[in-house]
Amino acid sequence: MTTPSASPPVHAPRDTVPLVERIGIPRPLAWGYLAVLIFMIGDGVESNYLEPYLTDWGFSAHSAGLVISVYGAFVALGSWFSGVLSSLWGPRRVMQLGAAIWLVFEILFLAVALPSGNQALVYLCYGLRGVAYPLFAYAFLLWVQLTASPQLRGSAAGWFWFAYSAGLPTIGSAVAAVSIPLMGAYATFWLSLGLVSVGALIGAFAVRDASGTRPMADTTAPGHSARAEMVRGISVLRRYPRTGIAALVRMINTTPYFGFFVFLPSFFHDEIGLSTSRFLALVTFMGIIGILADPLFGRLSDRFGWRHTIAGAGGIGCALGVIVLYWLPQLAPGNYLVALGATVLYGIMLAGYIPLSALLPSLVPEEDKGNAMGIYSLAAGVSTFIGPLTYSIFDPLVGHTGVVLIYAAMYVVGAILTWTYLRVEEDPGEQQAQAVKNNTVPAQTHSVS
């Protein structure tokens, strides 16, 4: 078991603590946040134009949606492996593996699958590439949780999701909106490859904090093996059942988000009257405002409580957000400001789930935190598959309206599960409540904020 690298104590005088530490970023990992940002910009370039591109290329709308669903299934697989392999090898090596897989299969997708006109190769190459980004990004998130002090884990997670979401889809969509008119859609795919290469190089070689360079599991223990570690990575759900509940909440977090990627481009074009470029700009604006809320909600959750933030802002806030996102623009077709306000509201509320990446590993002892984060990452990956799949199954039965109501109901269920079952002692909100109950002064955990 590795020991988290030392960070400046949170009670240190403000002027002795580096700026990055004061805002909640572990100083040894600062370069890693930049790496994730650039990597996810490259990964996010195609997120909002792949479906119409494949349709123009000859795929049916259903087949194009299925490509994204297959991709999402492999994202789920890579998400789980990010935790398990980090326990075996350490997060840094897993990041390097993820970067290599992304680059290899993107080159095959662009240089072989698309020019050949073979749809089976498109499914294979693009699908297998889905394993890559969660290995890179979620291994780094685990590295963050190993390094950050307990009092600032929410803030550190908030900055991770800021970098992640700034890339996918926010700045990535902005890059596509500018690049496609100048270079064309196919050349823009190659541009994304270049961006990912830069992020991969920074993440794989510039971040050297010791807590991420060694295996998390005790590889010298009797009976230890890769197979045993993988079994342990799943058995954590049986040994600590609340991790399964937290994983379900994490899956709910972005299931509607990725489901919207499938039909919102055509919905905003056909029903609301926005061009593809204006829709991409809309997504960019939504992301810019939404990602600014990530570190804010991380900081607020460290002060007022992880569970309160997830259930209130995340669950109930997103339930209202998806309803507003769908219905409000229909009341004012073609009105860009109305559409912008609706999408921005949903983007902000998504940030309410930020503290879940601090809460979930707190449900297990230290030796199982890597496995718990593997389950967290698996749930995040599953959502990329379940979101589009939910749309594909239910849209023919109940239409767009029914799908949106299903998405809203998911968020309400997630809020109830969080409030009922996810109380943990490390949660700053629970500590505050206990201090008030005992009529004592709570510990000072925010003196550097």
Side-chain angles (χ1 to χ4, degrees), residues 43 46-47 50 54 67-68 70-71 74 105-106 109 113 121-131 189:
D43 190 83
E46 66 207 35
S47 61
L50 178 66
L54 291 178
V67 169
I68 298 173
V70 170
Y71 172 82
F74 279 101
F105 282 101
E106 180 73 354
F109 172 67
L121 280 178
V122 171
Y123 281 104
L124 179 65
C125 295
Y126 194 77
L128 288 174
R129 204 206 76 187
V131 173
F189 283 121

Side-chain angles (χ1 to χ4, degrees), residues 94-405:
V94 176
M95 291 177 69
Q96 293 171 337
L97 175 64
I101 291 174
W102 201 103
L103 296 172
V104 167
F105 282 101
E106 180 73 354
I107 291 173
L108 290 175
F109 172 67
L110 297 178
V112 180
L114 286 180
S116 72
N118 189 317
Q119 292 193 5
L121 280 178
V122 171
Y123 281 104
L124 179 65
C125 295
Y126 194 77
L128 288 174
R129 204 206 76 187
V131 173
Y133 94 71
L135 292 179
F136 188 89
Y138 296 148
F140 181 71
L141 176 59
L142 176 55
W143 201 346
V144 167
Q145 291 301 311
L146 289 173
T147 305
S149 61
Q151 298 88 352
L152 293 177
R153 283 178 185 163
S155 299
W159 283 110
F160 167 83
W161 289 112
F162 174 90
Y164 177 101
S165 301
L168 175 68
T170 311
I171 301 177
S173 294
V175 170
V178 173
S179 175
I180 291 174
L182 296 176
M183 302 171 54
Y186 182 69
T188 297
F189 283 121
W190 287 100
L191 175 62
S192 72
L193 178 72
L195 290 168
V196 166
S197 299
V198 173
L201 288 172
I202 296 173
F205 300 105
V207 188
R208 299 179 178 274
D209 178 67
S211 63
T213 58
R214 299 187 296 266
M216 297 171 58
D218 184 0
T219 56
T220 63
H224 179 273
S225 67
R227 180 180 178 182
E229 192 62 32
M230 289 183 183
V231 171
R232 186 174 178 84
I234 291 295
S235 69
V236 70
L237 292 168
R238 172 182 54 81
R239 291 179 286 117
Y240 305 98
R242 289 196 299 162
T243 59
I245 296 173
L248 178 59
V249 173
R250 177 60 187 89
M251 186 185 73
I252 289 171
N253 172 195
T254 46
T255 287
Y257 177 75
F258 286 107
F260 280 148
F261 279 175
V262 179
F263 75 91
L264 276 192
S266 58
F267 171 77
F268 271 86
H269 181 274
D270 299 338
E271 302 295 330
I272 309 303
L274 300 183
S275 66
T276 299
S277 295
R278 295 197 79 194
F279 173 74
L280 290 173
L282 184 73
V283 173
T284 301
F285 288 135
M286 176 193 77
I288 289 172
I289 302 300
I291 63 175
L292 292 175
D294 287 346
L296 173 62
F297 274 98
R299 179 68 72 170
L300 290 175
S301 72
D302 281 335
R303 185 173 298 275
F304 299 110
W306 302 335
R307 183 173 64 111
H308 296 77
T309 305
I310 297 165
I316 302 303
C318 283
L320 295 174
V322 296
I323 291 173
V324 171
L325 173 60
Y326 179 69
W327 266 285
L328 190 60
Q330 295 185 65
L331 298 178
N335 189 315
Y336 199 77
L337 290 179
V338 170
L340 178 63
T343 52
V344 163
L345 174 64
Y346 177 55
I348 291 174
M349 291 300 100
L350 280 171
Y353 283 96
I354 289 299
L356 189 58
S357 53
L359 187 152
L360 196 152
S362 299
L363 297 170
V364 301
E366 190 70 25
E367 62 269 19
D368 271 309
K369 290 189 183 297
N371 294 320
M373 286 303 294
I375 295 298
Y376 172 94
S377 301
L378 173 61
V382 166
S383 71
T384 69
F385 171 69
I386 296 297
L389 183 64
T390 301
Y391 167 76
S392 298
I393 292 173
F394 288 102
D395 189 69
L397 301 175
V398 296
H400 290 356
T401 299
V403 171
V404 171
L405 289 175

